[in-house]
Amino acid sequence: MTVVIPFIYFLLLCIYFRVKHGRFDVPSFLALTYAVSAFFSIIAYNQDLNDYKYQMPVVHILPTAVYCGLLTITFIPFSRFRGEMIKEIERPKMWLFDALAYIFIATFFITIANLLPDIIDHAREGELLTLRNEIYNEDEIAEPKGIRYILALPTTLFSPCSPLMLVMYFYSVCFLEKRKIFNILLLLSSFTPVIPALLISGRTQITYWLLTFIACYLLFRPYIGKNLSKRIITIFIVLGAVVLAFFIAVTISRWKEADIIKNAVIIYAGEPYIDFCMFFDTLHTKHIHLQRLFPFTYYFILGYDTNLFAYREILYNETGIYANVFNTFLGDIMLDTGKTGMFIYTFLYATITCIALHRKDKSIMPFYQLPIYIICLLVPLEGLFFYSFHTVRMSYYIIETLIICILFRYRLKR
């Protein structure tokens, strides 16, 4: 059956990367992540599980081949990166490293303080389903005002840098002789975008954090001693258990019955491939939308409303496709720009990423490449579900990453 092809393909690709690089590293993890999702796709498809507004589609060989092929192209830059050859990561400008760390740590505590009234209210209510439904009703989302609006600015500007905070945490524990409290606070700062997600009982930001944590661990694993590795794994297990408990609680609050909960988890993990195939077969439109590719430009320069709910209505009216499902970043790009646009985006992404991650000396990695590496990695890693760079918030992350890389790479001249 066609539905088993992605699972077999990505599992073999994971093994290939493992053999090629001599260890289980980031490319292997990417392939394994999509293999796991594809495994759940088999279950969802064979049991005819769906949570959609359409019947379970028939998966064909052409969209399956496109799915596997284009995803592989996005993995190639991280294989060509040859992380196993790196013997040294250059030391950064410590004044800049420390400044960023304290900005991120301060942002974490400001976020906690600013959201504390909401945290207390939601804890009293205790109805996760009610809280989750608020995010789907625009009229119930209140914008912060007064001092809370001012305090929300650091969160808006810096919380998207959570992946960079994780990179800095791992670099600090591996190469810098920082105090434990500093490293702990730096790790906590990476939770900044997770806190608002908890308030709306959202699961995606938490899943993103876990995936990014694993990817960063694999990137830095050669430089982590056995004792430190055990502590980091322990931290991950504890945090993972808490996250899993929350994930289950949200799912229970939404679905109630055990069988439905099990099916919901299977759908959550397995629908990206099935939805991609459905969109590939049914999408027939000449409309091109670029606001999700360039949200900053559309919102601040062209004055377009980037509200995702309204945009999905536009897509539905044009295509008849209900886009509020997981269909991978490729599916989102295809909905926005068509199949040709999806191919162009994939090849441009792979080319630009290969250029950005090129090193003259394969044994030495400049520190400024770390922020570039992680932001490029998020496209296929977070893209397992959807295109995660569609918000103005993520545009801040891109802009800030470019500025940070320039500051780390070049010396300021008087």
Side-chain angles (χ1 to χ4, degrees), residues 140-276:
E140 294 183 20
I141 302 175
E143 291 292 332
K145 298 179 180 179
I147 187 64
R148 292 193 66 184
Y149 175 82
I150 297 174
L151 291 176
L153 291 177
T155 305
T156 301
L157 293 174
F158 301 119
S159 69
C161 292
S162 170
L164 177 56
M165 302 173 204
L166 280 173
V167 168
M168 292 175 62
Y169 163 75
F170 276 97
Y171 184 88
S172 180
V173 296
C174 289
F175 300 108
L176 304 179
E177 296 180 357
K178 295 288 189 179
R179 297 173 61 185
K180 287 185 179 180
I181 186 63
F182 176 88
N183 293 328
I184 292 173
L185 291 176
L186 192 53
L187 178 61
L188 285 175
S189 71
S190 68
F191 275 90
T192 303
V194 175
I195 299 168
L198 293 176
L199 290 178
I200 60 169
S201 301
R203 297 168 291 184
T204 304
Q205 284 294 333
I206 301 170
T207 304
Y208 283 170
W209 188 92
L210 290 173
L211 291 174
T212 307
F213 185 97
I214 295 172
C216 289
Y217 173 78
L218 293 173
L219 179 63
F220 284 92
R221 189 172 62 170
Y223 321 106
I224 301 175
K226 289 185 178 180
N227 292 333
L228 178 59
S229 180
K230 290 179 180 178
R231 290 200 298 269
I232 292 176
I233 292 174
T234 300
I235 291 172
F236 178 77
I237 291 174
V238 172
L239 293 176
V242 174
V243 168
L244 180 61
F246 177 80
F247 190 98
I248 293 173
V250 172
T251 306
I252 290 174
S253 70
R254 187 178 182 186
W255 300 108
K256 303 297 183 183
E257 297 179 13
D259 288 342
I260 299 179
I261 293 170
K262 180 190 70 175
N263 293 344
V265 173
I266 294 172
I267 293 168
Y268 185 90
E271 69 174 315
Y273 160 64
I274 298 173
D275 285 339
F276 175 87

Side-chain angles (χ1 to χ4, degrees), residues 361-379:
D361 187 342
K362 292 292 185 181
S363 65
I364 300 176
M365 182 180 186
F367 184 86
Y368 75 85
Q369 268 194 344
L370 281 172
I372 298 175
Y373 182 95
I374 201 68
I375 198 172
C376 291
L377 177 63
L378 294 184
V379 174

